[in-house]
Structure formats: C-alpha cells, structure tokens
Amino acid sequence: MEKFLLKNIENPSSASLEEYVGAGGYGSLNKALQMEPSDIIAEVKAAGLRGRGGAGFPTGMKWDFASRDTKFPKYLICNADEGEPGTFKDRPILEKNPHLLIEGMVISAHALKSERGYIYLRGEYPHARIVLEKAIEEAYAKGYLGDNIAGKGVGFHLSVHQGAGAYICGEETALIDSIEGRRGQPRIKPPFPVNVGAWGMPTIVNNVETLANIPLIVSIGAEKYAEIGNPECPGPKLFSVSCCVERPGVYELPMGTTLKEIIYDHAGGVRGGRELKAVIPGGISTPVLTPDGIDCPMDFVNLPKRGSMLGSGAVMVFDDTVCLVKVCWRAMKFFEHESCGKCTPCREGTGWLRNILERIEGGFGREGDIELLQDIALSITGKTFCPLGDGAAGVVLGFIKNFSDEFMYHITNKKCMVNKDSQSAG
Ligand code: SF4
C-alpha cells in the first residue's frame, strides 16, 4: 500500500515545511478552505473514519455532535499522550511528519469552527516538542496558522501543551483537567467533552493518527478512502510492533491486515525463528491471544470476536523464552503505578492483583491464587470511573483464560516452566 501517514519520513528533512509542501503538503487544506464546514464533516462521516486512539468511535459522528452545539469558543485538542507500554505509533508523525498533523488540525478546526487548538503531548516526548514547536512556527510564518489562514478569513491558533508524564492524562476528560491546570483525573460522563469540555466549552479531542487521516480524506474523497482496508473500519492504520520480532517498528498498513501478516510478512517473524507463544494485539491493556488466534483481521470489529481488542494497534509478540506470569505481573505493576486513585476498585484492586502475581512469579504462589485473581479482577470490571480499571482486570482474565497451565505450574512447582537461563522478558 502506498504510504500516506508515514510518507517521506525516511527523508532526513521530512519535518520541514519546505519538504512537506514540496511533497504536496497543505494541498488538502487549500481544498478544504473552499468547502463548507458541514461538507467536510459529511465527508469524514462518509469515509467511515474511526478514532485511532483506542476506542474506535466514529470521528464524523463526534464532530457532528460538537458542531450542533452553539456555544463558542470551541476547542480542538490533539491527544498526543501516547503512554501505554508497546504503543509508539504516533511518534513518527510527531517527530518526522508534524506538518501532516498541523494540516489535519487546521482542516478539522475549519470543519468544527474552532479557533483555538492544543497538542497535548506526553511528558516523555521532549524531542517531539522541539519538532512540533518549530513546525508550528513555520506554519504561522507561511500563513497556515493565524487569524486569516491562506487569506480565506479562517482563523486558528495552535500550541503545544506538554503533560507531566501521567498515563491517565491520555483519557480525554483527565487530559482536559490537566490542560486546565489541575491534577489529571477522569471526569464522569455525561456530559461529554463535545458539549462540556475545556473551561466548560465544547471540546473535541482526537488522537494524532485520527487527525493525520483528515488530509487524505479531503484529498482523495470519502469514496476512495473507504476502499482502503476493511469496509467496516476503513483507512490506513499504524501498527507499532515490539518484543520478540526480527524487525520491531511502526508499520503503515490497511486497517484489517491480519495479525499473522503483520508479524510474519512485515516484522520479519519471531526473533531467531523461535516458536510463537503469545501476542498482545493492541497495547498492554488488550487481552492476550494464543498463536491460533493470529489469523485475525486487525480492526475494531474482528478482534472483539476473538476476545481481544484493537486498542492502539500496538502488537507485542512473545516467544517461548518468555515467562507470561512475569509479563502479567509487570503489566499490573504499570497499572498500579498509573492508577490515579479516584476510585477504590482500581486503586486497591490493581495493587492486590500485582501483589498476588508477584508472589506467584516469585515461587510463593498458593493454592486458590488463580481463583482469587479472577475474583478480584471481576470485582473491578465495570465498577470504575474510566477504562484503566477494566483494562487491568481484562489483562489478568485474558492471561488466566489462555495460559492457566503456566500459572498452575508456577504455583505447584514453585518455579517457572521456562528454563531460567534461557528466559527473556520479551
Ligand atoms: S479506574 Fe483507576 S485510573 Fe480510572 S479513574 Fe478510577 S482510579 Fe483513576
């Protein structure tokens, strides 16, 4: 497939405005400025674009809700808080193709009649901040940002807001709290941010990759865009592939490419030709799959049928040298650390899960520990403010469902079934 989101990024100057414009950049903005805002929204709806941050909500529908709200100002926020282990798909856009994101944001702002935007950037991406701020400066200098963009009477101002490195600030309502200057914690929904968001005004939060898809939709039109990938979830998709593969990295492929193709045709197969043991398809919060589940299209429709989710599209591959009890324990250490503490089942439950997993992994597991893990996980599911609690519980339930033998072996034999000398953390 011809690359669009990662087009030209091998070029060392790909982040410069000159290179971007030379490769046809900002052509979609010029086209969009001739269009009525409502026509752009209709085009995005017809294209079938679904949010690429993890939830997969139809972007055009979100925009439609926001456009019907008559309150002004409206804020457009790009969610660049990419903090889940295994997820680094947005990073090449932020660091190497920043003008694609800016162009996508200006078109989106025109469609939504928003005059103020922010890129909420994760604290751990300092280089991306430098690149983005330079690109924003260039865009202002050339009139792609400002009060009167390309002389068409459309105004949009954009700046970068760097977070302090809290995973929960990737959740849109916590992100809004953080941007307002408070400690980032999720808010109850409804009201949804499209009506009551930043400073109480309508606020549209879209992921980096989602916004980077907008220039493509405008340039080729909804009909052609909908022909890319899976008809139920069309368009190009970025997959970050990591752990035990020959060629880890970010791959731009049509949505619906199978997990098997991603691992074997694009990422070079399992490292050293070893045996595949398990795959996490969409970032650490998505349930693990066994090797017989990998012939599955990577999209928002087919993965749930196999008991997992597309999430952010972060594929983590584990071979037969990896202890999966250790992977599950480390995942829980992450969730416990990142729990914002607002609700009890998540704040306490992730700590209990981590504690039990730690003792099983360390060879001190007790009879009944698997049932105890399941009981705690089910007590968290559906009882928390935001998806972090459900994600943590789903990880434990998924590992136990698919790899209970490995957990049992640890408990019964007080050691791992994988030889310690050949063991890898993935
Ligand atoms: S589920 Fe966890 S992270 Fe989410 S609001 Fe509750 S305590 Fe905070």
Side-chain angles (χ1 to χ4, degrees):
M1 185 191 90
E2 189 196 344
K3 284 196 181 114
F4 177 76
L5 304 172
L6 303 184
K7 184 179 167 185
N8 217 16
I9 64 158
E10 304 308 329
N11 179 339
S13 326
S14 63
S16 79
L17 179 67
E18 203 183 342
E19 287 290 339
Y20 186 68
V21 171
Y26 286 107
S28 297
L29 174 61
N30 290 328
K31 185 174 172 188
L33 290 171
Q34 322 286 334
M35 295 167 72
E36 285 302 317
S38 56
D39 292 340
I40 301 174
I41 295 177
E43 200 72 8
V44 171
K45 268 175 123 174
L49 174 65
R50 295 175 65 155
R52 301 297 201 244
F57 191 79
T59 306
M61 201 185 290
K62 192 189 247 191
W63 285 15
D64 201 17
F65 293 148
S67 69
R68 285 189 219 162
D69 199 312
T70 51
K71 295 195 294 293
F72 284 93
K74 288 184 182 168
Y75 296 105
L76 174 64
I77 301 179
C78 168
N79 186 346
D81 191 74
E82 182 171 52
E84 186 158 300
T87 305
F88 47 93
K89 69 176 181 73
D90 292 337
R91 193 170 186 173
I93 297 177
L94 297 166
E95 294 185 350
K96 296 184 174 171
N97 210 359
H99 284 287
L100 177 67
L101 174 60
I102 295 171
E103 183 176 12
M105 287 193 77
V106 183
I107 296 171
S108 309
H110 174 46
L112 294 157
K113 299 184 189 159
S114 164
E115 296 190 347
R116 189 69 179 88
Y118 300 92
I119 298 172
Y120 187 94
L121 182 67
R122 76 176 296 214
E124 295 86 345
Y125 279 178
H127 179 60
R129 179 177 188 154
I130 295 167
V131 175
L132 285 167
E133 286 183 339
K134 182 163 187 282
I136 289 172
E137 207 179 298
E138 288 175 324
Y140 268 109
K142 287 285 177 192
Y144 295 119
L145 286 170
D147 289 325
N148 184 17
I149 295 168
K152 295 285 188 296
V154 173
F156 184 61
H157 291 264
L158 180 63
S159 53
V160 177
H161 182 106
Q162 193 159 15
Y167 170 75
I168 199 59
C169 290
E171 199 282 336
E172 61 179 1
T173 58
L175 183 159
I176 288 169
D177 261 25
S178 170
I179 225 165
E180 288 179 352
R182 286 199 296 280
R183 177 179 169 181
Q185 285 196 315
R187 298 175 184 177
I188 200 155
K189 293 192 268 192
F192 291 92
V194 286
N195 302 117
V196 183
W199 299 283
M201 303 313 284
T203 301
I204 303 90
V205 183
N206 285 137
N207 170 258
V208 173
E209 189 188 341
T210 312
L211 292 161
N213 266 269
I214 302 300
L216 178 62
I217 294 172
V218 170
S219 96
I220 65 173
E223 207 173 309
K224 275 216 149 22
Y225 180 89
E227 285 168 12
I228 303 170
N230 182 335
E232 289 165 300
C233 315
K237 174 81 192 92
L238 296 177
F239 298 100
S240 56
V241 188
S242 62
C243 302
C244 309
V245 286
E246 290 288 351
R247 291 193 298 272
V250 180
Y251 295 90
E252 179 179 347
L253 300 166
M255 182 75 95
T257 304
T258 69
L259 197 43
K260 192 174 178 182
E261 287 174 272
I262 293 171
I263 297 169
Y264 288 98
D265 298 348
H266 300 283
V270 181
R271 184 180 57 186
R274 296 200 68 97
E275 195 183 322
L276 179 66
K277 186 172 179 183
V279 184
I280 294 178
I284 199 75
S285 63
T286 59
V288 65
L289 294 171
T290 53
D292 59 9
I294 66 167
D295 204 2
C296 176
M298 287 284 280
D299 58 47
F300 295 109
V301 176
N302 284 291
L303 276 162
K305 291 180 192 161
R306 308 280 172 109
S308 195
M309 290 181 291
L310 179 65
S312 58
V315 179
M316 301 168 85
V317 178
F318 302 108
D319 68 21
D320 57 353
T321 64
V322 177
C323 168
L324 296 178
V325 177
K326 193 181 270 180
V327 173
C328 191
W329 162 52
R330 285 189 176 164
M332 211 47 55
K333 273 175 84 171
F334 168 79
F335 286 117
E336 181 190 17
H337 181 261
E338 297 296 340
S339 169
C340 79
K342 187 162 179 161
C343 38
T344 312
C346 170
R347 184 185 63 237
E348 303 297 323
T350 50
W352 292 343
L353 291 171
R354 190 267 309 142
N355 194 16
I356 297 162
L357 288 163
E358 193 168 300
R359 78 170 173 240
I360 297 174
E361 198 277 332
F364 302 97
R366 304 170 194 157
E367 206 181 309
D369 269 354
I370 293 181
E371 293 75 14
L372 188 55
L373 284 171
Q374 288 170 315
D375 190 32
I376 297 168
L378 290 170
S379 303
I380 298 173
T381 309
K383 297 176 188 69
T384 59
F385 240 84
C386 87
L388 187 141
D390 282 349
V395 166
V396 170
L397 293 171
F399 270 100
I400 292 176
K401 180 175 160 229
N402 290 315
F403 298 98
S404 63
D405 287 0
E406 193 157 340
F407 283 74
M408 271 317 293
Y409 190 96
H410 263 268
I411 293 169
T412 312
N413 299 288
K414 310 293 177 205
K415 62 176 185 179
C416 184
M417 59 167 58
V418 179
N419 183 334
K420 259 235 149 25
D421 298 332
S422 60
Q423 207 173 103
S424 113

